[in-house]
Amino acid sequence: LTFSVGSAPERWSLGRFSPARTRAGIRLRGGQACEASSDEGGMASGVFRGRTVLVDMDNTVVDWDREFAARWGKTPDAEAGDTELIQTRTNFEMEENFAPGPRRERAKEVMASKGFYESLQPFEGAVDALRSMAAAGAFVLLVTSPHPLCAGECSNEKFRWVERHLGKEWEGNLVICRDKTFVAGDVLVDDKPLVTGRAQPVW
């Protein structure tokens, strides 16, 4: 994923992005690593200083799919081939990749299960990338949407995740909202291919 902040391009690797699928115009998915690097081989502090960088959490900072796959595999509805279905899914909402019926309902139960969001593991380098942007002068906000099936518990678990992995001082940088277009910033880093809402975003 490549984007520009000001006049200097910064190249970001956020998750398990597939070049082939990206060229085909299919949605990007989170995965292996989250790291930041500039074309000059380091964090360009002049580029980030004074900028507001909005960063999604699920499948951008944390491996949402991995946790879902692990929990799904323990359910009685799991079938051979489901791992590939999860890894290559074409619908952004996970449950929509399962046919309507018991399996789709089970998928909803899994993603709403207690401890799901608190247990998500960060991608390798993700936490360091967030800290590096902040150290380079950026105002980094974690902007994430609560899952509608468990909005209250999901939000609480996200706060606990931030405290555990980033420290209590980062709790003030966590923005939980259903519509990200209302959040002002210079850049939004998100695994969702098109983020829309009721407002005209400034990022």
Side-chain angles (χ1 to χ4, degrees):
L1 171 63
T2 303
F3 61 87
S4 295
V5 182
S7 60
E10 296 291 326
R11 184 167 57 253
W12 291 80
S13 296
L14 291 155
R16 191 183 302 116
F17 297 142
S18 166
R21 298 182 72 209
T22 302
R23 288 195 295 270
I26 302 175
R27 67 175 289 268
L28 300 176
R29 302 180 61 245
Q32 285 181 336
C34 172
E35 58 185 16
S37 62
S38 72
D39 289 341
E40 301 300 323
M43 187 69 69
S45 59
V47 172
F48 284 93
R49 186 173 296 114
R51 303 286 184 176
T52 298
V53 181
L54 315 178
V55 184
D56 173 53
M57 288 185 68
D58 300 332
N59 274 337
T60 302
V61 172
V62 296
D63 199 339
W64 192 99
D65 285 5
R66 179 180 180 181
E67 183 66 21
F68 177 85
R71 294 189 180 218
W72 175 259
K74 297 176 183 178
T75 69
D77 293 291
E79 297 177 357
D82 282 347
T83 298
E84 182 178 359
L85 180 150
I86 293 168
Q87 292 177 344
T88 62
R89 62 188 170 104
T90 55
N91 293 309
F92 184 79
E93 301 298 341
M94 178 62 77
E95 66 272 19
E96 294 178 3
N97 295 276
F98 296 89
R103 276 166 50 87
R104 178 173 291 189
E105 294 308 308
R106 180 74 70 180
K108 293 179 180 179
E109 290 178 8
V110 169
M111 62 186 70
S113 58
K114 186 175 181 179
F116 183 93
Y117 289 88
E118 191 173 0
S119 300
L120 296 174
Q121 294 301 306
F123 293 125
E124 182 182 355
V127 171
D128 287 341
L130 295 172
R131 294 188 186 281
S132 294
M133 280 193 292
F139 179 42
V140 181
L141 289 176
L142 292 170
V143 183
T144 182
S145 299
H147 200 286
L149 294 176
C150 55
E153 185 59 30
C154 173
S155 298
N156 289 334
E157 292 189 12
K158 285 176 182 282
F159 272 102
R160 291 196 290 269
W161 188 97
V162 168
E163 182 177 359
R164 176 181 299 136
H165 294 276
L166 287 164
K168 198 169 184 63
E169 66 274 15
W170 274 76
E171 287 185 350
N173 297 61
L174 177 60
V175 178
I176 298 179
C177 61
R178 291 297 302 166
D179 190 341
K180 298 178 182 180
T181 63
F182 284 107
V183 185
D186 296 291
V187 176
L188 171 65
V189 183
D190 200 303
D191 68 308
K192 193 170 187 177
L194 182 62
V195 178
T196 59
R198 291 181 294 172
Q200 180 62 43
V202 297
W203 26 264

